[in-house]
Amino acid sequence: NKIFKRLLILDTEPPINTIGNKNMGSIFLISRVDRLIEMGAIDEAETILDYIKNPNYDLLRRKIDIASITGRLQKTCKKIRRHFNSSDILKFKIICLAREGDWNAAAILFSAGSTLKLFSSTEKKLLLRFLDPEINVKIAQEEIKENLSPINFYLFLSRGSIFHFKDLPPKYAYTLSLAGNSLMERIQSSEKLVKTFSMNSHHLFSLYRSAGQTDESTQNVLVSSVVNLDNAFKGNDKRIQLRTLKKAINVFYQHNLLSQFAKEYEPILKQIRPSNNFSEFNDLIVLLLSL
């Protein structure tokens, strides 16, 4: 996954067409962006699209998806002002107009789209609740899950709705990892992304340390392992460091996060001098550094 991601973000230029299809380069670029989005590598996909000054319709749709996932709408709102050729763009224009304070224009577009039957039942509920939060519109979470597009995801979260799905795709975990409803939700979402190398693991360990300053440190073995190991490395007792490191390795191995754990503690491990009296400690350090 890590190598695959590096290949996807290698450059923004599509390959020279050698097959005879004039759209070959565009299709390849779209495929790369789609794969990055699905992996949850949202920042990388956004960076690639930002290089394209005049995106075609297919690339513009990807920009809308990314803006909806991240909540960074302003640049994309400017890009779609002259486009009216899909229900997705119409929904996004409604959101943009509402964010700019032009609620009347947003409501007119919503009415027009509803009359033309451009929105599904779920989309109509989400847009209606977005435009008028005082209206009591009930939307079941299973209904959202079955219709979970990036725009619907934005609309659902815009009114403070809470997701309880642990099986959310990585692209949505990106948002929850940065702005989840709780610290543990942010941690769980970050773990999903870190395991696929879609997010820098340092962000996850920062969350572990933040949780370690709260009551969460006693409820999560990963959090308590980081807290205990950090405290052990602050001291000079190698026996405590060895014992704590062995426990942490076991915990992170069981959670499929051992290579990320090794990367996080690499600077500390490199500074520890080998000792004949602690050969097991030396072996563990070599193992982690090799990862």
Side-chain angles (χ1 to χ4, degrees), residues 36-60:
L36 286 168
I37 292 174
E38 291 304 316
M39 289 173 64
I42 304 299
D43 291 331
E44 291 83 351
E46 184 178 35
T47 299
I48 289 176
L49 290 176
D50 283 345
Y51 277 105
I52 303 169
K53 294 181 180 179
N54 297 302
N56 60 27
Y57 170 68
D58 289 323
L59 289 170
L60 188 60

Side-chain angles (χ1 to χ4, degrees), residues 86-99:
S86 82
S87 60
D88 279 345
I89 288 182
L90 183 59
K91 285 185 290 183
F92 196 75
K93 285 182 72 70
I94 291 171
I95 294 171
C96 292
L97 288 168
R99 288 183 77 254

Side-chain angles (χ1 to χ4, degrees), residues 164-183:
H164 292 293
F165 322 130
K166 291 186 178 181
D167 57 341
L168 272 178
K171 60 184 176 184
Y172 300 123
Y174 170 89
T175 300
L176 300 180
S177 71
L178 300 175
N181 295 286
S182 68
L183 186 54

Side-chain angles (χ1 to χ4, degrees), residues 29-81:
L29 184 60
I30 289 170
S31 297
R32 287 169 58 193
V33 171
D34 283 346
R35 191 66 185 90
L36 286 168
I37 292 174
E38 291 304 316
M39 289 173 64
I42 304 299
D43 291 331
E44 291 83 351
E46 184 178 35
T47 299
I48 289 176
L49 290 176
D50 283 345
Y51 277 105
I52 303 169
K53 294 181 180 179
N54 297 302
N56 60 27
Y57 170 68
D58 289 323
L59 289 170
L60 188 60
R61 278 184 50 213
R62 274 68 182 180
K63 288 184 73 71
I64 289 174
D65 287 348
I66 290 174
S68 300
I69 291 169
T70 63
R72 299 189 285 266
L73 307 182
Q74 188 172 3
K75 290 183 180 179
T76 307
C77 283
K78 292 180 180 179
K79 290 279 186 183
I80 55 106
R81 285 177 179 171

